[in-house]
Amino acid sequence: YKRQGINAEYGEVTSIDTSKNELSLKNGEKVKYDQLLIASGGDPRRLTIPGSDLGNIFCLREVEEANGINNVVKSSSNVVVIGSSFIGMEIAATLTGKVASISVVGRGVPFERVLGRQVGAVMKQLSEEKGLKFISKSPTEFKGADGVVQAVVFDDGTEVPADVVVLGIGVAPATSYVPENISKHADGSIIVDEFMRTSVPNVYAAGDLAHFRYPDSTKSLRIEHWAFASKQGKVAALNMLEPNSAPLTAVPYFWCMIFGKSVRYTGHASHYDEVIFHQDKQDPYKFVAYYVEKGKIAAVSAMTAEPVVSAAAELFRIGRIPTVDQVRSADFNLVTFLAK
């Protein structure tokens, strides 16, 4: 930071006074600003059920939490992961083979909310082959002894042994300190325009807490992925230096690794009408899925099929994504289509 002429102030912001262009820190200090970027991310959601204050119940957001999990897991541990989307499944896959048992708690099949039931079913099959167990029940209590968790109780009265519990049930925008005159979405995220500007002059927002309008669309959304957050941060910085110079045009793109296989996704389709699913006949863990929304391809996901999703991201960017009828053919190839 010093080499780049950046003055780093370490502390927790407790409030923002936009009339004075001033931040208040927890230690009582005040920090003045000419322009402000709010990028405090999200706070992990936690379960508020009996026993939630027991030891060895973790979220995963900070390095300290990752170290905490590593310090308590043993080869004899029974681990319960609550949440079957990206964080939960990545944790479960990472711990597989290192502990006695892993149970993943979630609704439906893993990744279903984002990637859909067909993709989720394939991911579940892969995970079960590797030894994961899935539970489609709601936890109602954590039981423990000597201040440490020992079991998870579910809504049907059943109990599952748990020496370690990891929560991966999403995040809430970390905006409790943000004043009311900065407009927010119903979920607490900060509403921004295409230049990452908030409703208050000289105040910008980016990352997990930014609610933005999707490029060339009427949809507004919030993306929780570090790669897209970094793109938003760059756009905000450019506009802080030169107002209205750099609209957000990036297409959402994210990925994860599950049992050594890459799952990638680009675009955005929260309310898709259909999924066109092409699965390799020889390898069930190689597929491409097209998400159809209002008669158009709105998103693409794939496993072990790169550079298909990268090609899709570029086609979205340049406005050349193929039609629904074109991608219905099992022989259709996005990479070849892009090269034309």
Side-chain angles (χ1 to χ4, degrees):
Y1 285 136
K2 287 182 179 179
R3 285 199 299 268
Q4 300 299 325
I6 298 171
N7 180 34
E9 296 276 353
Y10 296 97
E12 180 181 342
V13 178
T14 57
S15 64
I16 302 170
D17 188 335
T18 58
S19 66
K20 295 180 179 178
N21 285 17
E22 185 177 79
L23 310 178
S24 295
L25 304 186
K26 191 173 183 179
N27 63 8
E29 292 183 15
K30 306 287 186 181
V31 178
K32 289 285 188 178
Y33 68 85
D34 294 315
Q35 296 193 81
L36 174 66
L37 173 61
I38 302 173
S40 45
D43 293 320
R45 299 185 189 278
R46 300 178 183 273
L47 289 179
T48 55
I49 60 177
S52 58
D53 57 345
L54 289 168
N56 290 1
I57 299 177
F58 299 91
C59 290
L60 182 57
R61 190 69 171 180
E62 308 290 342
V63 172
E64 292 78 14
E65 291 166 326
N67 291 337
I69 296 169
N70 284 329
N71 290 338
V72 299
V73 293
K74 304 173 184 177
S75 59
S76 59
S77 296
N78 295 304
V79 178
V80 173
V81 176
I82 299 178
S84 59
S85 195
F86 290 91
I87 290 293
M89 290 302 297
E90 286 180 330
I91 292 168
T94 300
L95 292 177
T96 297
K98 301 175 184 177
V99 297
S101 70
I102 303 179
S103 300
V104 178
V105 180
R107 297 175 181 174
V109 294
F111 303 104
E112 183 172 348
R113 184 180 67 84
V114 177
L115 301 181
R117 176 163 286 275
Q118 289 164 292
V119 173
V122 174
M123 302 303 297
K124 183 180 181 183
Q125 178 181 324
L126 171 64
S127 301
E128 288 176 332
E129 287 180 2
K130 299 296 183 178
L132 293 189
K133 300 174 183 178
F134 289 90
I135 299 173
S136 297
K137 304 173 186 176
S138 297
T140 57
E141 181 184 358
F142 296 119
K143 284 188 175 180
D146 300 322
V148 178
V149 70
Q150 288 190 330
V152 181
V153 183
F154 293 94
D155 53 2
D156 63 353
T158 58
E159 296 185 16
V160 173
D163 307 299
V164 180
V165 174
V166 184
L167 305 177
I169 53 177
V171 301
T175 57
S176 60
Y177 64 95
V178 177
E180 292 183 0
N181 63 323
I182 295 177
S183 297
K184 295 178 188 164
H185 188 263
D187 65 0
S189 57
I190 298 172
I191 298 172
V192 297
D193 64 11
E194 68 270 32
F195 303 108
M196 311 311 296
R197 294 179 302 198
T198 72
S199 58
V200 174
N202 301 319
V203 179
Y204 295 74
D208 288 6
L209 54 63
H211 202 99
F212 65 98
R213 188 174 65 83
Y214 193 59
D216 299 321
S217 171
T218 58
K219 293 191 291 186
S220 66
L221 62 145
R222 183 169 66 88
I223 300 290
E224 297 174 5
H225 193 275
W226 67 268
F228 200 70
S230 67
K231 292 178 180 178
Q232 289 183 332
K234 181 178 180 180
V235 169
L238 291 171
N239 289 298
M240 292 167 81
L241 293 169
E242 186 178 344
N244 306 335
S245 63
L248 178 68
T249 58
V251 176
Y253 186 115
F254 57 84
W255 68 94
C256 70
M257 292 293 291
I258 301 292
F259 298 112
K261 296 187 181 296
S262 173
V263 183
R264 298 175 184 249
Y265 179 101
T266 188
H268 182 76
S270 57
H271 302 290
Y272 52 85
D273 306 304
E274 177 189 4
V275 178
I276 299 172
F277 190 70
H278 295 314
Q279 190 173 30
D280 190 278
K281 294 180 180 179
Q282 306 300 320
D283 181 359
Y285 303 125
K286 182 177 182 179
F287 62 77
V288 179
Y290 299 91
Y291 301 82
V292 181
E293 192 172 277
K294 296 180 179 180
K296 297 181 179 180
I297 304 300
V300 179
S301 73
M303 175 183 272
T304 58
E306 274 306 281
V308 167
V309 176
S310 298
E314 178 62 9
L315 288 165
F316 278 126
R317 188 188 70 83
I318 62 178
R320 279 192 55 217
I321 200 72
T323 66
V324 173
D325 288 339
Q326 286 175 308
V327 304
R328 286 196 188 280
S329 170
D331 298 327
F332 183 80
N333 188 297
L334 271 177
V335 178
T336 303
F337 183 83
L338 175 62
K340 290 181 180 178

